[in-house]
Amino acid sequence: MPPRQRVLRRATVKATRQLSTNLIRVTFDCPELAGMDLPFTDHYIKILFVPGTQRPFDPDTDGDPSDVAAVTRTYSLRSHDASNGAITVDFVVHGDAGLAGPWAAHAEVGDRIGFFGPGGAWAPDPDIDHFVLVGDESAAPAICAAIEALPEATTAEVFLEIASQGDTFPVPARDGVSLTWVPRDGAPYGSELTRVVRAAGHPAARTRWFVHGVAEMVKELRRHLFVDLGLPRTDVSISGYWRSGMNEDGWQSSKHEFVETMDADEAAAGAEPVPPKEPRRA
Ligand SMILES: Cc1cc2nc3c(=O)[nH]c(=O)nc-3n(C[C@H](O)[C@H](O)[C@H](O)COP(=O)(O)OP(=O)(O)OC[C@H]3O[C@@H](n4cnc5c(N)ncnc54)[C@H](O)[C@@H]3O)c2cc1C
C-alpha cells in the first residue's frame, strides 16, 4: 500500500487562556476542520515549526514544509467544534526550552500555524463498564476529552499528575468519575503517578486503561499492567508522549527502540506477546 499522504492545514489563534501555572489553552480558528467527523478522544495534530526558531511554520508565507525541513510537535485536540472548525489545544509550559511550549506561553490572537493531522486512535468503548485514565499534564487534554465522551452509566478513575497541589486545572466532573490529583512536589516526572496507580490495584469491573505521558512512567506502568496484573494488551492504550531530557525530535527517533526493549523485557517476564502494530500517522 502506498504511504498515506499527510494533509497540510492552517489555523489562526483566536484566544488564549491560562488554565493553571503551567497549562495554557489556545483556541484556533480552523475552517478546514469544519464539518469533519473526529470520533476519537485522543485526536492529535503535528504543529510545524521553522527550524532554528520558536516560530510556527505558516503555510501561506513559508512555502513547502519539506523545503525548509520544518520540525513537528505533537498536540492533542482538547476539543473540536464541527460547526465552525474551532479547535482548542492545551499546551504544557515547561520553561524556555523547546519550541511549542515557549511559543504557546506568548501566543497572540492572529498568530498563524501550519499542522499535519488530525490523527487519533482511541475512544471509550461503549461495551465496557469501567475506565482508568492516567496521565501527566501532557495527557490531560486527551483524558478530559475522554471523560466527556464516557458512555452513560460507565464509571472511571482518573489519575492526573501535576507539579504541586496549587497547579490543578478544570477537569470535567461526572457522576461515577473519581479524580485523584498526584502532585510531583519535586519528585522526578511520572514517579509519583506510578506509585499511586500501582497502589490503586486493579478494579473489579471490566476495565479499559488509557495511560499516557512521560516515557519513564509509561515504562513502569506497562510492566505493572502487563506483567504484574497480566492484562491483555487490547485492554490498554499506553504510550510515551514525551521523554525527560529529550526534545520531541530525539524522543521520536529513539521511541521505536525504547518500545522494542520494553516489549522484549515484558515478554521475558511472562507478559502477553505484542501483536504487530499498524503504522500511526497524523
Ligand atoms: C499523541 C501525543 C499527544 C500529545 N498531546 C499533548 C498535549 O495536548 N499537550 C502537551 O502539552 N503536550 C502534548 N504532547 C507532548 C508534547 O508533544 C511534548 O511534550 C513535546 O516535546 C513538547 O514540545 P516542545 O517544543 O515544547 O519541547 P521540546 O523541544 O520537545 O523539548 C524541550 C525540553 O523540554 C522537555 N519537555 C517536553 N515536554 C515536556 C513536558 N510536558 N513537561 C516537562 N518538560 C517537557 C523535553 O524533555 C526537553 O528537555 C503530546 C504528545 C503526543 C505523542
Side-chain angles (χ1 to χ4, degrees), residues 20 52 58 76 121 125 134 155 185 188 279:
S20 73
D58 180 350
S76 307
D125 180 339
V134 178
T155 53
D185 286 334

Side-chain angles (χ1 to χ4, degrees), residues 7 69 87-88 108 122 127-129 135 139 147 155 218 239 262:
V7 181
I87 53 174
T88 54
E108 291 184 357
W122 192 89
D127 295 329
I128 296 298
D129 308 320
I147 295 171
T155 53
V218 162
S239 74
M262 288 190 293

Side-chain angles (χ1 to χ4, degrees), residues 13 25 33 41 62 68 82 107 109-110 140 146-147 173 179 182 194 221-222 237 242 245 250 260 271 279:
V13 174
R25 171 160 299 167
L33 296 185
T41 53
D62 290 323
V68 295
V109 173
I147 295 171
L179 169 60
V182 182
T194 302
L221 285 183
R222 274 186 52 145
S237 166
W242 65 284
E260 274 194 338

